[in-house]
mmCIF file of all heavy atoms in Angstrom:
data_model
loop_
_atom_site.group_PDB
_atom_site.id
_atom_site.type_symbol
_atom_site.label_atom_id
_atom_site.label_comp_id
_atom_site.label_asym_id
_atom_site.label_seq_id
_atom_site.Cartn_x
_atom_site.Cartn_y
_atom_site.Cartn_z
ATOM 1 N N LEU A 114 -29.313 -33.772 18.947
ATOM 2 C CA LEU A 114 -29.804 -34.349 20.195
ATOM 3 C C LEU A 114 -31.111 -35.076 19.908
ATOM 4 O O LEU A 114 -31.923 -34.598 19.109
ATOM 5 C CB LEU A 114 -30.061 -33.276 21.242
ATOM 6 C CG LEU A 114 -28.862 -32.668 21.948
ATOM 7 C CD1 LEU A 114 -29.308 -31.454 22.786
ATOM 8 C CD2 LEU A 114 -28.166 -33.683 22.818
ATOM 9 N N PRO A 115 -31.354 -36.188 20.587
ATOM 10 C CA PRO A 115 -32.663 -36.835 20.423
ATOM 11 C C PRO A 115 -33.778 -35.850 20.836
ATOM 12 O O PRO A 115 -33.596 -35.032 21.733
ATOM 13 C CB PRO A 115 -32.594 -38.023 21.398
ATOM 14 C CG PRO A 115 -31.134 -38.278 21.566
ATOM 15 C CD PRO A 115 -30.467 -36.940 21.449
ATOM 16 N N ARG A 116 -34.900 -35.933 20.163
ATOM 17 C CA ARG A 116 -36.006 -34.997 20.406
ATOM 18 C C ARG A 116 -36.398 -34.917 21.879
ATOM 19 O O ARG A 116 -36.636 -33.832 22.407
ATOM 20 C CB ARG A 116 -37.218 -35.395 19.565
ATOM 21 C CG ARG A 116 -38.377 -34.429 19.691
ATOM 22 C CD ARG A 116 -39.553 -34.859 18.841
ATOM 23 N NE ARG A 116 -39.145 -35.052 17.467
ATOM 24 C CZ ARG A 116 -39.349 -34.192 16.493
ATOM 25 N NH1 ARG A 116 -39.969 -33.083 16.751
ATOM 26 N NH2 ARG A 116 -38.934 -34.453 15.276
ATOM 27 N N ALA A 117 -36.464 -36.056 22.557
ATOM 28 C CA ALA A 117 -36.868 -36.052 23.971
ATOM 29 C C ALA A 117 -35.891 -35.232 24.818
ATOM 30 O O ALA A 117 -36.306 -34.472 25.701
ATOM 31 C CB ALA A 117 -36.958 -37.492 24.500
ATOM 32 N N VAL A 118 -34.611 -35.346 24.530
ATOM 33 C CA VAL A 118 -33.596 -34.590 25.274
ATOM 34 C C VAL A 118 -33.724 -33.108 24.973
ATOM 35 O O VAL A 118 -33.671 -32.266 25.872
ATOM 36 C CB VAL A 118 -32.173 -35.100 24.941
ATOM 37 C CG1 VAL A 118 -31.111 -34.228 25.595
ATOM 38 C CG2 VAL A 118 -32.008 -36.558 25.366
ATOM 39 N N ARG A 119 -33.931 -32.756 23.703
ATOM 40 C CA ARG A 119 -34.099 -31.335 23.336
ATOM 41 C C ARG A 119 -35.307 -30.738 24.027
ATOM 42 O O ARG A 119 -35.274 -29.614 24.515
ATOM 43 C CB ARG A 119 -34.251 -31.183 21.816
ATOM 44 C CG ARG A 119 -32.970 -31.246 21.064
ATOM 45 C CD ARG A 119 -33.088 -30.728 19.639
ATOM 46 N NE ARG A 119 -34.324 -31.034 18.949
ATOM 47 C CZ ARG A 119 -34.494 -32.043 18.094
ATOM 48 N NH1 ARG A 119 -33.495 -32.864 17.839
ATOM 49 N NH2 ARG A 119 -35.636 -32.236 17.508
ATOM 50 N N THR A 120 -36.406 -31.497 24.096
ATOM 51 C CA THR A 120 -37.624 -31.011 24.743
ATOM 52 C C THR A 120 -37.369 -30.721 26.206
ATOM 53 O O THR A 120 -37.754 -29.660 26.722
ATOM 54 C CB THR A 120 -38.759 -32.049 24.585
ATOM 55 O OG1 THR A 120 -38.967 -32.288 23.192
ATOM 56 C CG2 THR A 120 -40.039 -31.569 25.236
ATOM 57 N N ILE A 121 -36.699 -31.618 26.894
ATOM 58 C CA ILE A 121 -36.397 -31.429 28.323
ATOM 59 C C ILE A 121 -35.465 -30.239 28.513
ATOM 60 O O ILE A 121 -35.708 -29.387 29.383
ATOM 61 C CB ILE A 121 -35.780 -32.718 28.925
ATOM 62 C CG1 ILE A 121 -36.840 -33.811 28.982
ATOM 63 C CG2 ILE A 121 -35.186 -32.446 30.307
ATOM 64 C CD1 ILE A 121 -36.290 -35.196 29.263
ATOM 65 N N GLU A 122 -34.419 -30.149 27.709
ATOM 66 C CA GLU A 122 -33.474 -29.029 27.841
ATOM 67 C C GLU A 122 -34.148 -27.690 27.542
ATOM 68 O O GLU A 122 -33.893 -26.698 28.227
ATOM 69 C CB GLU A 122 -32.257 -29.235 26.926
ATOM 70 C CG GLU A 122 -31.308 -30.280 27.452
ATOM 71 C CD GLU A 122 -30.007 -30.320 26.681
ATOM 72 O OE1 GLU A 122 -29.810 -29.518 25.755
ATOM 73 O OE2 GLU A 122 -29.162 -31.176 27.012
ATOM 74 N N ASN A 123 -35.017 -27.654 26.546
ATOM 75 C CA ASN A 123 -35.723 -26.409 26.227
ATOM 76 C C ASN A 123 -36.668 -26.015 27.361
ATOM 77 O O ASN A 123 -36.740 -24.837 27.723
ATOM 78 C CB ASN A 123 -36.516 -26.545 24.914
ATOM 79 C CG ASN A 123 -35.618 -26.609 23.707
ATOM 80 O OD1 ASN A 123 -34.475 -26.176 23.747
ATOM 81 N ND2 ASN A 123 -36.137 -27.152 22.614
ATOM 82 N N ARG A 124 -37.348 -26.990 27.935
ATOM 83 C CA ARG A 124 -38.253 -26.708 29.068
ATOM 84 C C ARG A 124 -37.449 -26.176 30.249
ATOM 85 O O ARG A 124 -37.809 -25.178 30.862
ATOM 86 C CB ARG A 124 -39.015 -27.971 29.463
ATOM 87 C CG ARG A 124 -40.038 -27.701 30.580
ATOM 88 C CD ARG A 124 -40.518 -28.951 31.273
ATOM 89 N NE ARG A 124 -39.383 -29.519 31.972
ATOM 90 C CZ ARG A 124 -39.145 -30.810 32.094
ATOM 91 N NH1 ARG A 124 -39.942 -31.697 31.558
ATOM 92 N NH2 ARG A 124 -38.097 -31.257 32.758
ATOM 93 N N ASP A 125 -36.331 -26.831 30.544
ATOM 94 C CA ASP A 125 -35.482 -26.390 31.656
ATOM 95 C C ASP A 125 -34.940 -24.977 31.417
ATOM 96 O O ASP A 125 -34.884 -24.163 32.340
ATOM 97 C CB ASP A 125 -34.321 -27.368 31.881
ATOM 98 C CG ASP A 125 -34.798 -28.713 32.425
ATOM 99 O OD1 ASP A 125 -35.972 -28.835 32.826
ATOM 100 O OD2 ASP A 125 -33.965 -29.647 32.422
ATOM 101 N N ALA A 126 -34.561 -24.667 30.201
ATOM 102 C CA ALA A 126 -34.047 -23.337 29.877
ATOM 103 C C ALA A 126 -35.132 -22.282 30.062
ATOM 104 O O ALA A 126 -34.882 -21.183 30.578
ATOM 105 C CB ALA A 126 -33.521 -23.308 28.449
ATOM 106 N N ARG A 127 -36.374 -22.614 29.659
ATOM 107 C CA ARG A 127 -37.484 -21.664 29.848
ATOM 108 C C ARG A 127 -37.752 -21.454 31.328
ATOM 109 O O ARG A 127 -37.989 -20.317 31.764
ATOM 110 C CB ARG A 127 -38.747 -22.178 29.148
ATOM 111 C CG ARG A 127 -38.738 -21.976 27.653
ATOM 112 C CD ARG A 127 -40.105 -22.201 27.035
ATOM 113 N NE ARG A 127 -40.678 -23.512 27.306
ATOM 114 C CZ ARG A 127 -40.421 -24.616 26.594
ATOM 115 N NH1 ARG A 127 -39.609 -24.545 25.572
ATOM 116 N NH2 ARG A 127 -40.982 -25.756 26.893
#
Side-chain angles (χ1 to χ4, degrees):
L114 284 171
R116 183 180 306 259
V118 174
R119 280 196 323 262
T120 302
I121 291 167
E122 286 189 2
N123 289 339
R124 184 197 66 216
D125 291 350
R127 282 193 303 275

